[in-house]
Amino acid sequence: MAILKKGITGFDKPKEINEHSIVEIENLIKNINYPFVKTGEIKKPSESSNYFRISLLNQIENNRFDIILNIYYWIIASVKTESNWMNLEFLEFDAQLKNQILNFNTEIQVLDINVLNEKASRIEKENLGKTEIEQIEYWDSKTYGEIIFNGYD
């Protein structure tokens, strides 16, 4: 299955692909249950990021982390809460949380840390638009995580 799809960076988006609505994101969050709880507002994508960001707390482990969701595709990852928008530190996705999310929507692609940190293949980059390739080269993005969840502006 190809991970990189045209428009995933936020540039060169096909007309038939729409941005996720805040209602869709809220519905996703409503289906996340104990031991996980949302600890802040949903951070929407900005001119400098192409993903939603939601802070969570695992109440059993007293562990805070964020999940990020691509603005156009149902692709999700877990990052350290302290990591900033230009230097995301990816985490292994919690198995229990992954099950809750996939029970809500089986089309969501939960990426694990190995995939996120893997160098993106040249063949997959060919799926992207011209502006996307230019942005990847300009920002020197190498991994799937850096391309799918980026801070291009």
Side-chain angles (χ1 to χ4, degrees), residues 67-114:
I67 56 174
I68 55 178
L69 174 71
N70 184 273
I71 189 171
Y72 297 115
Y73 292 95
W74 284 107
I75 300 177
I76 196 167
S78 179
V79 296
K80 288 184 179 180
T81 298
E82 311 81 46
S83 63
N84 69 44
W85 62 277
M86 279 299 294
N87 295 303
L88 295 171
E89 294 181 60
F90 296 104
L91 299 170
E92 190 62 47
F93 209 92
D94 184 280
Q96 186 177 4
L97 179 58
K98 180 178 179 177
N99 288 337
Q100 289 183 20
I101 288 171
L102 293 177
N103 283 337
F104 167 70
N105 182 341
T106 57
E107 293 180 19
I108 294 176
Q109 190 174 2
V110 179
L111 296 182
D112 71 32
I113 194 168
N114 295 328

Side-chain angles (χ1 to χ4, degrees), residues 9-23:
T9 65
F11 293 90
D12 297 330
K13 177 190 73 67
K15 290 180 182 172
E16 67 273 9
I17 303 294
N18 295 314
E19 180 177 323
H20 296 301
S21 72
I22 196 70
V23 172

Side-chain angles (χ1 to χ4, degrees), residues 55-67:
S55 295
L56 298 176
L57 169 67
N58 179 326
Q59 295 174 322
I60 293 174
E61 298 175 7
N62 196 29
N63 179 30
R64 293 182 185 278
F65 60 96
D66 292 354
I67 56 174

